[in-house]
Amino acid sequence: NPEGENPSLWRVLFMTYRKRLFYAGLWKLFGDVLNVVGPVVILPIVNYVRQIQEGTLVLRGEFRNKIYYVGWMEFIENGWTLAFLAFVASILQSNFSQESARIGANEGIRAKTALQAKLFDKTLKMSVSGAKCFKENDNEASEDFADCADTGNALNYVLKDTENIMMLFMHCHYVWAIPLKV
């Protein structure tokens, strides 16, 4: 931190996990882009089947020595080729999405574990008896135990808040990915 700045948990988390979360975002982006292939190739596949049924399929290849050579456009517009392309895109999309989720979950678990270890350590060092505590919006010391940051509150932070941070790591890419899916 630069001089005079308060320490920031978010800055530490970002600096520590940014590279892996960036890779998770790339996998998510690749998976979401491949998710578009299936709907895009449906119409050409249906047109191909209709042309075969009606007998209007135009062959653009050429015959050489009684052997038919398929042209590039005919190969690309072939319904079987498009169906195979959709199949491969579906498998890749599934793998990319799973990899993105795996990286997000792993990094979330690492962040949760690190924060829990630090907070448990801090909780074990807390003095419960005879401590003067400060009210949340006041600078006056209070002898009332309800105003203190007690062990129960600290354990709540350890359990629930670190769980929320882990979930943030797992789902942070949905902020930009959901508009792409729409």
Side-chain angles (χ1 to χ4, degrees), residues 32-149:
D32 289 347
V33 167
L34 286 174
N35 202 22
V36 174
V37 172
V40 167
V41 299
I42 290 289
L43 182 62
I45 290 173
V46 170
N47 288 338
Y48 178 79
V49 170
R50 188 182 63 229
Q51 288 174 353
I52 287 179
Q53 288 176 342
E54 295 172 353
T56 60
L57 184 64
V58 177
L59 301 176
R60 296 191 191 116
E62 58 184 60
F63 282 99
R64 286 190 220 153
N65 299 329
K66 298 182 185 179
I67 297 175
Y68 183 72
Y69 290 94
V70 177
W72 278 108
M73 285 307 295
E74 185 177 350
F75 177 74
I76 292 172
E77 293 173 353
N78 187 298
W80 292 103
T81 304
L82 294 174
F84 181 74
L85 177 68
F87 175 70
V88 169
S90 175
I91 290 173
L92 288 175
Q93 186 271 335
S94 175
N95 286 332
F96 290 167
S97 293
Q98 287 297 320
E99 183 64 14
S100 171
R102 185 193 66 79
I103 292 171
N106 283 350
E107 297 309 307
I109 290 169
R110 286 182 182 145
K112 176 184 173 184
T113 305
L115 289 170
Q116 281 181 340
K118 191 64 178 168
L119 289 170
F120 270 128
D121 185 50
K122 182 108 173 144
T123 303
L124 291 173
K125 293 178 183 177
M126 286 179 63
S127 171
V128 177
S129 62
K132 291 196 177 211
C133 301
F134 291 90
K135 293 181 181 177
E136 202 170 299
N137 296 325
D138 200 356
N139 289 332
E140 295 179 19
S142 170
E143 295 291 336
D144 186 12
F145 191 72
D147 294 333
C148 295

Side-chain angles (χ1 to χ4, degrees), residues 151-166:
T151 307
N153 286 339
L155 286 176
N156 186 43
Y157 290 138
V158 169
L159 298 175
K160 291 307 286 175
D161 290 348
T162 56
E163 179 79 19
N164 291 338
I165 288 174
M166 181 184 79

